[in-house]
Amino acid sequence: MESTSAPRRRVRLAELTREELQQRMPEATVVIPIGATEQHGPHLPLLTDHVMAETVALRAAELAAASVDVLVAPVLPFGCSSHHLAVGGALSIGQRTYIGVLVDLAECVARMGGKRLVILNGHGGNEDPMRVAANELVFEKRLGMAVCAASYWTVGKEAVAALPFAGPGHAGHFETSCIMAVRPDLPQLAKRFPPDREPRPLAISGQVNGVPVRYPGIWESSEGVSDAADQASAELGEQTVDAIVRATADFLIAFHRRPLLQ
């Protein structure tokens, strides 16, 4: 007996034909996942940030698709990672260029009739430029499009807060657990720092009376990770990723359903 249920809508934007894209774009929420290609200590792959952003975006879109139309663009695998060049390497884009890239991509969404855009980030170094891009799109370009730029750990903050260790960090317990769950073939766990030796921690900034200050040499003096990752586990990673995906799906539905102001 043939099924009479309608086929499930594709969530990957790049899998659509131009006619399908033109039909769905005006009523869809478009998600552009962004990440980085950069060192993640001695045991994690350089793709950690962008594979996490893409995974969360796609899984959340699949959950949300039963309620609203969501299209996920191909992940932008590069980010603002110049600080990693000193401690192991990266393929990095300068901040001003990165802002321009995000604005260009968003303007394409608007030109195709898009009204709702979410930039879902997986790399801390992208947070400042993505917010600048979002402000430029709404307040300067005035495209008439609702724009959100947020990191997946911010959307899933309750799941991160429930962890038995600080998160998200960099190449430590949090990211190692997540990659063990999402791409178990990639972590080289034997290369982690042993539990009896904490690595020299990294920091983007120092503090003076509680005020962040950018100091030269901070990253060079670190070992490029935030913690040793000896507490990481695939089970914890699966629980964390699932909770973040559910929170992201809930956000996408709420974002999509909020009326657009004219």
Side-chain angles (χ1 to χ4, degrees), residues 38 53 85 123 133 153 155 168 180 189 198 201 208 211 226 241 255:
E38 64 185 29
L85 292 171
H123 167 54
W153 55 82
V155 180
M180 288 172 70
L189 300 179
E198 281 292 320
V208 176
V211 178
S226 60
V241 173
F255 174 81

Side-chain angles (χ1 to χ4, degrees), residues 168-222:
H170 183 78
H173 306 306
F174 174 82
E175 287 191 317
T176 302
S177 295
C178 290
I179 293 299
M180 288 172 70
V182 171
R183 287 295 305 269
D185 55 312
L186 292 178
Q188 300 183 40
L189 300 179
K191 295 181 179 180
R192 287 180 294 183
F193 291 95
D196 59 349
R197 187 178 88 77
E198 281 292 320
R200 296 191 304 276
L202 59 82
I204 297 176
S205 65
Q207 294 279 330
V208 176
N209 295 342
V211 178
V213 180
R214 264 54 176 174
Y215 282 107
I218 285 182
W219 279 74
E220 289 86 341
S221 66
S222 78

